[in-house]
Structure formats: C-alpha cells, structure tokens
Amino acid sequence: MHILFIDWNSFGNEDMIFCLKKAGHKIDLFPIPENASTRYNPPLEDALYQKLLSFSYDFVFSFNYFPAVSNTCEKIHTPYLSWVYDSPFVQLYSDSLGNRCNHVFIFDHEQYAALAAPGFRTVHYLPMAANTSRYDSLVLSTHKREKYKSEISFVGSLYSEPKNQLYEKLNGVTEFTKGYLDGIIDVQKKIYGSFLLEDLLTGDILADMQKSYPIVPNEDGFETAQWVYANYFLARKVTSLERTDILKLLSEKHQVNLYTKEPTPFLPKVKNCGYTDYYMQMPYVFKCSKINLNISLRSIHSGIPLRIFDIMGCGGFVLTNYQEDLLQFFEPDVDFVYYEDYEDLLQKADYYLSHDEEREQIAKNGYEKVKQAHTFEQRIAFMLDALSNS
C-alpha cells in the first residue's frame, strides 16, 4: 500500500514508519508545522487536498485525530486512519468524527465506548504498542548502566509549569465553589478505576466556573463545558498533586530519579534528571531502573498509557496505579504490579526492591507478553483488517 503519513512531533512516528516500511508499504510524509491548527485550517486543508489529488493514496494516517485532515479526506473519498494516544483530546469530539472516511483507533476503552454508544461506527478500540525489535537492538553498555541506574524512576510531567496549571485559572470562583472543587479533587485522588469529576460538576458550581473562566464548546463539536473542566482543568490538577505526593513519599526512603523538563525545588530528595529523549534515552531509563513508575494522567479513564507499553517493551518492571484496561491483557503480580493507595504503593516498592528475583521475573513476563501480542506489526495488521472490512 502507498500511505500518506501526517508528520508532526508525535511519539511513535519513527516506530510506526519503520514497521510500515518493513511490511512493504510505501510512505510519503505530509508535515504539519508546529502549533498549526488541525481543527480548521483552510491553507493546510488546501495543501492536503492538492497532495491527495496528485496521487491515489490507499489511505492517510496520523497519530491522534485531526478534523482538518478528516474533512479533506472526506471530500476526496480517501480513507483516514488515526490512532489516538492522548487523553483528553478534544478534537475527537468534533462532528467530523462521523465522516465515512474515518477509522479512528482509540486506546482508552471507556472513551471508545462513550463515543461508540451514540452510534459512531467510525471508532475502534485499539491499545498502544511497543517496538520491541528496536528496544532489543539497543546496546546496554557499562557506561549506560551506570548513568541510568536507579531504584525508582518516573518519566513524565508534574504539570507544575504555568501553561499546565489550568485549575489556577478558576481563581475567580466563590469560596464555596473553591472548597467544593478542592474536595472533589481530593476524593478523586484517592479513587482509582472510576472517574467522578465530570458528574460532580453541575448546577451552581458549573455556573460559577463558567462565570470565572468561561468555556465555549467548539461550533463543530459536541464536547461540553462540563467535560472540558473535568478532563482538562481538574484531572490535570489531580495528577499534579498525586505525582508530587508519590515522588515525595518514595524519596523519603528510596533513591528516586525523575525525568522531566520542569524544575522541582519542591522535591528536594528527588533527583531531577531533566528531559529524556523518547528514542535515544528513555529506553535506557526503563532498562536500568529497578522500578519504573506509571502514575496515569487522570483523564485516561481506563486505558493503558503508552508509558506502560514502553516500559514492558524494554523489559522493565512496572509499578502502576490501577487501570482497568490492563486486566484485559495482562495479569497483576505476574506481568506487572499495581497499587491501590499510597500505603500499598510504599509497601510494594519496599517489597520489590528487596526481592530481585520476583521483580525480574515479573519484568520478563511483561516483556514476553508485549513481544508476543502488543507490537506495532500486530496493531498495523488490526488497522488494515478494519480498513479492508469497511
């Protein structure tokens, strides 16, 4: 097949392109400039339209879903396959989701089910994957082992930078509303497996939030202000608090390495190792850490974050919060370990740091399962099967 690949700064681009080419497909790149609108962008849509007119592509592919691409593909009757790994991702809630050209693959089963329920037949459930072949090829030298070794590591944002502090934009709400929001954030922080925040934003609370920082849904979309506040503003705050709490607690007793762009003076006992490149450095972190943490962004309601597949694909040990989709494919305490609360997390961190053989066997089991059933090659086959059966 000849595929037009929408090229933007996405995780997985290199792995996807490599595996598509390995399977014998031809790839042309269509770059999208950084910060370009992908919801409504006439110049971009016109350029894509001309590109699609110039050659009969079998389909267009992108990581994440872009209405501007879908609407253009719809005009020219070219299939559009997109694989969504971000959550929340408001562009999914575009009326264009119903375009007949679409095959939208969503990694979070709860989100998939919510979109399929109203009758969107263009959506499919598809977890993320790992390129175990690339990870296996990496040479783990003595220098790299020494550089990246750690008892516990976490790769990810703490959402402490001003651009990520959306909750703070609600500083104009009443004291009552502020107390209510802080309360439901605290409750959500203690509960895994159930997303409560959206249903708890109603009536006067929602009206006060709208008065303080108005949210106007897109004209071509069906997201609600309630959904936006819950998944962008509050879920991000829960995640920020939770990640900070966990790293602080673990660092009181253990060596903890954090890989993030953000300065973290509020975590004095955590070693902030700075930014780590997804392709060139991150795999070594996962390979050399005794415990790799996953602390999910709370707007990922049930899905398996890409981070978990990457850790397992590198042969790393995963200690994660509970995510329902994990139980569809992996066995707890056999392929990975999850914690139920902070106390449980601390106990399991202590246990697995002092039981090397058990920890290493679990890491090996997770790696073997990913290698057997969760590679890019297998996901590509699933997508092409969905396309051929449409």
Side-chain angles (χ1 to χ4, degrees):
M1 288 187 166
H2 206 137
I3 302 159
L4 186 63
F5 193 102
I6 304 298
D7 187 23
W8 63 283
N9 187 26
S10 165
F11 294 127
N13 272 9
E14 292 183 20
D15 291 324
M16 190 68 172
I17 291 170
F18 174 83
C19 292
L20 284 167
K21 287 183 176 179
K22 184 180 176 183
H25 304 292
K26 295 181 179 179
I27 307 294
D28 288 347
L29 299 180
F30 184 86
I32 292 182
E34 189 175 357
N35 299 321
S37 171
T38 49
R39 186 158 197 146
Y40 177 72
N41 187 332
L44 177 70
E45 293 172 45
D46 183 62
L48 178 59
Y49 184 81
Q50 296 303 321
K51 183 71 173 179
L52 293 176
L53 279 179
S54 70
F55 189 87
S56 182
Y57 289 99
D58 291 285
F59 63 87
V60 175
F61 175 84
S62 73
F63 279 109
N64 285 344
Y65 172 78
F66 304 129
V69 175
S70 176
N71 287 331
T72 305
C73 288
E74 185 76 353
K75 290 177 185 177
I76 211 160
H77 307 296
T78 299
Y80 174 37
L81 279 62
S82 60
W83 194 5
V84 178
Y85 68 76
D86 271 334
S87 181
F89 194 70
V90 71
Q91 293 187 71
L92 261 180
Y93 294 78
S94 160
D95 295 335
S96 67
L97 189 65
N99 287 344
R100 289 177 294 178
C101 66
N102 289 337
H103 291 277
V104 182
F105 301 90
I106 300 170
F107 83 103
D108 186 302
H109 191 275
E110 185 174 314
Q111 185 178 53
Y112 153 75
L115 290 169
F120 284 107
R121 304 180 72 178
T122 55
V123 296
H124 313 264
Y125 172 59
L126 186 65
M128 299 311 298
N131 187 356
T132 54
S133 296
R134 178 170 66 84
Y135 292 144
D136 288 348
S137 71
L138 298 175
V139 177
L140 195 55
S141 65
T142 302
H143 170 72
K144 283 187 168 59
R145 286 183 187 276
E146 188 64 26
K147 180 178 179 180
Y148 293 106
K149 71 177 183 180
S150 178
E151 287 189 328
I152 301 171
S153 290
F154 177 68
V155 179
S157 174
L158 300 188
Y159 299 103
S160 62
E161 296 173 304
K163 68 176 183 178
N164 284 316
Q165 294 181 338
L166 298 180
Y167 181 61
E168 282 66 27
K169 295 182 183 297
L170 296 170
N171 56 11
V173 297
T174 65
E175 286 299 315
F176 178 84
T177 298
K178 180 66 165 58
Y180 179 88
L181 295 178
D182 286 344
I184 65 173
I185 283 172
D186 189 56
V187 169
Q188 183 68 82
K189 190 154 67 84
K190 297 173 183 176
I191 295 175
Y192 300 105
S194 181
F195 188 71
L196 309 174
L197 297 172
E198 187 173 354
D199 289 340
L200 294 173
L201 298 180
T202 58
D204 291 343
I205 297 296
L206 185 59
D208 192 22
M209 295 169 76
Q210 280 281 40
K211 183 178 178 181
S212 172
Y213 193 89
I215 292 294
V216 180
N218 290 280
E219 291 183 4
D220 66 334
F222 53 92
E223 79 279 6
T224 64
Q226 188 177 5
W227 180 89
V228 173
Y229 285 129
N231 286 278
Y232 280 93
F233 288 64
L234 303 190
R236 192 167 292 184
K237 184 64 175 180
V238 173
T239 307
S240 177
L241 292 170
E242 182 178 15
R243 289 180 177 180
T244 302
D245 285 351
I246 286 173
L247 294 172
K248 188 175 292 184
L249 283 169
L250 289 170
S251 68
E252 290 297 328
K253 189 173 181 181
H254 302 291
Q255 179 213 358
V256 177
N257 285 0
L258 169 64
Y259 293 84
T260 187
K261 294 179 179 179
E262 304 152 75
T264 53
F266 47 88
L267 293 172
K269 295 185 179 181
V270 173
K271 182 181 178 182
N272 188 329
C273 302
Y275 170 75
T276 180
D277 180 80
Y278 181 80
Y279 294 100
M280 303 305 296
Q281 297 171 304
M282 187 188 73
Y284 296 110
V285 175
F286 295 155
K287 287 174 178 287
C288 297
S289 302
K290 292 183 178 180
I291 291 177
N292 292 284
L293 291 174
N294 174 67
I295 311 166
S296 300
L297 177 58
R298 284 304 191 100
S299 48
I300 302 175
H301 297 176
S302 71
I304 306 172
L306 178 60
R307 180 190 295 106
I308 289 182
F309 282 108
D310 284 326
I311 294 169
M312 287 186 173
C314 289
F317 175 88
V318 177
L319 180 57
T320 176
N321 60 277
Y322 176 83
Q323 291 289 125
E324 186 175 344
D325 290 10
L326 273 166
L327 303 189
Q328 292 190 44
F329 307 101
F330 302 101
E331 187 175 348
D333 302 325
V334 175
D335 306 313
F336 75 101
V337 175
Y338 74 84
Y339 58 87
E340 297 180 357
D341 53 36
Y342 289 0
E343 183 179 355
D344 188 41
L345 166 67
L346 292 171
Q347 290 175 355
K348 286 176 175 172
D350 287 347
Y351 180 85
Y352 284 105
L353 284 173
S354 61
H355 290 75
D356 293 347
E357 288 187 12
E358 284 187 56
R359 186 187 70 246
E360 289 166 7
Q361 185 61 54
I362 290 171
K364 183 179 178 182
N365 294 342
Y367 164 79
E368 292 294 344
K369 197 159 286 185
V370 167
K371 188 173 184 176
Q372 291 168 12
H374 302 284
T375 64
F376 276 84
E377 288 86 354
Q378 289 156 322
R379 299 298 192 250
I380 289 168
F382 181 93
M383 287 187 258
L384 295 182
D385 186 61
L387 177 61
S388 65
N389 290 326
S390 61

